[in-house]
Amino acid sequence: MSLILLLSACGLLAIGMPVAFALGVSTLCAVMLGSDFPLIAMLKQTYEGVDSFPLMAVPFFILAAELMSGGSLTEVLLKFAAQFVGHRRGGLGYTNVVSLTFFSGISGSALADAAGPGSMMIRMMDKAGYDRAYAAALTAATAIVGPIIPPSIIMIIYALQDERVSVGALFVAGFIPGLLIAAGMAAVNWRVSTQRNYRGDEDVATWQDKLQTTWRALPALMLPVIILGGMRAGWFTPTEASVVAVFYALVCGKWIYRTLRWEALPDILSRSSLLTASVLIIIGMSNAFAWVLTVDGLPLTLAEWMAAQQLSAMGFLIAVNIFLLIFGIFIEPLPGVMVLVPILAPVAAKLGIDPIHFAMVVIFNLTLGMITPPVGGLLFVTSNVSKVPLAALTRELKPFLVAHAVILALLTFWPGLSTWAPHALGFQ
């Protein structure tokens, strides 16, 4: 049954079928051709995949991000980032990195970051004389910080697959790796800007202007602090935190920034609903896909095989990294987490690997698949919004991929980068 499942899934993905439908059709083929289970069993597993109270946080965090975007938050964060780094050589590149990092603390989605503030920064960099392909590559490479810095949808899904970690622990664990990714992208921007002589903005903001811009951006920057602080203080659960985020975003957009219009709410709700539906379809189909693998005994077989290899903890992490880098080329992060975490996480736990450390390695690794051709979804979104051919975008992406590989190695060999912050705050 597993053979039918995997072969059909690979074939459907190869011909370009959307991931959710490829997983669903391959599961259907496996159940019909390789088992005696009734088809209703697949429907039951698909429903159970989305029948989860913690999963309610996903649509609310998506709605909060849409409300913040509708409230002109993007412009506020761009001005806030530009005042500190815009005047330096390659200043707009640094502004791109900093603004996307700040926005990731609101959206939780790499695609939203690239399509929203990322598209604005690409146009600004193009007008300022930057190569448009380079601007698009910088945006795509930096946007993957979205699922790393909280709130993160993929972290919520991961915590549902591995009971050894909590959503709060993963949210806190994402801060240092997220900042490390931003620093790596800024380093690449420094090198390229020096080589190509990309100049910064000659106008330097005064301290008075900086204070005014910072004061205006402060309400937006407080959203991740409120979410994490409230969860750590025990005021609300991650699911309740998502509802708090919606109300806070509404207050910011309507009454603090006064740029959110009531007539815009139907469009915001519509976009949020469509994005939520697409995420939940992937989750439901992935759960059915993983169920077939579990019923057929593949996770147990794989775990026994890995145990027989007598790999050390570090050897296992290296093997997982290689496997996930290849796997992530062909499948999106959400279904990757749904399918692989129930298989790999128990093996990692038996080898004594900290579950938080392992979670961050897996999440970052699978997220990298969004910018690796041929399937990288983030590449297609960025190419579309920037009007840059995919081939030109991929060529400019090479130094950023090298920087990401270095950061992945640091996260793999230095567990404290992922575990220090959550352990310091009492998450186990």
Side-chain angles (χ1 to χ4, degrees), residues 33 113 153 176 182 195 198 208 282 315 319 321:
L33 302 177
D113 291 353
I153 295 171
I176 294 178
Q195 291 176 339
Y198 290 146
Q208 183 178 359
I282 291 176
N321 273 328

Side-chain angles (χ1 to χ4, degrees), residues 136-397:
L138 175 62
T139 299
T142 306
I144 68 167
V145 79
I148 307 298
I149 290 183
S152 167
I153 295 171
I154 192 173
M155 288 180 179
I156 297 172
I157 306 305
Y158 189 103
L160 292 175
Q161 304 306 309
D162 185 4
E163 61 183 12
R164 300 171 188 83
V165 294
S166 66
V167 175
L170 292 183
F171 277 9
V172 175
F175 265 110
I176 294 178
L179 295 176
L180 195 61
I181 293 170
M185 299 305 98
V188 174
N189 179 67
W190 170 82
R191 181 174 181 272
V192 174
S193 298
T194 301
Q195 291 176 339
R196 302 182 184 180
N197 197 28
Y198 290 146
R199 297 187 178 278
D201 190 350
E202 295 181 359
D203 295 330
V204 180
T206 65
W207 279 107
Q208 183 178 359
D209 291 337
K210 289 181 179 180
L211 288 174
Q212 289 177 348
T213 306
T214 302
W215 178 256
R216 181 168 172 76
L218 196 58
L221 298 174
M222 284 298 295
L223 179 58
V225 178
I226 291 173
I227 292 172
L228 290 176
M231 289 168 56
R232 187 65 192 94
W235 297 340
F236 36 71
T237 65
T239 306
E240 293 164 346
S242 65
V243 181
V244 172
V246 169
F247 280 99
Y248 184 78
L250 182 61
V251 169
C252 284
K254 183 61 183 176
W255 289 286
I256 296 180
Y257 294 118
R258 299 182 180 180
T259 51
L260 181 64
R261 296 175 290 108
W262 291 123
E263 53 266 30
L265 286 181
D267 287 339
I268 290 174
L269 292 171
S270 176
R271 290 196 303 270
S272 301
S273 299
L274 288 173
L275 185 54
T276 299
S278 66
V279 170
L280 292 182
I281 288 173
I282 291 176
I283 292 172
M285 294 301 181
S286 298
N287 191 69
F289 188 94
W291 167 74
V292 172
L293 293 176
T294 303
V295 167
D296 211 32
L298 185 61
L300 181 61
T301 302
L302 183 60
E304 291 175 347
W305 179 82
M306 286 186 172
Q309 305 308 306
Q310 296 182 339
L311 293 173
S312 64
M314 196 53 63
F316 173 75
L317 282 174
I318 294 173
V320 165
N321 273 328
I322 295 172
F323 171 70
L324 291 181
L325 285 172
I326 298 172
F327 184 85
I329 292 175
F330 302 101
I331 197 165
E332 294 294 312
L334 279 181
V337 166
M338 294 283 294
V339 172
L340 294 178
V341 170
I343 299 174
L344 299 176
V347 180
K350 287 183 179 179
L351 291 173
I353 300 172
D354 190 300
I356 298 175
H357 174 215
F358 186 71
M360 292 310 304
V361 170
V362 170
I363 290 171
F364 180 45
N365 210 318
L366 288 175
T367 304
L368 275 180
M370 300 180 75
I371 57 171
T372 50
V375 184
L378 189 54
L379 291 182
F380 290 103
V381 170
T382 309
S383 175
N384 183 54
V385 300
S386 65
K387 303 298 185 291
V388 172
L390 197 60
L393 174 58
T394 304
R395 282 195 300 270
E396 292 282 1
L397 200 61

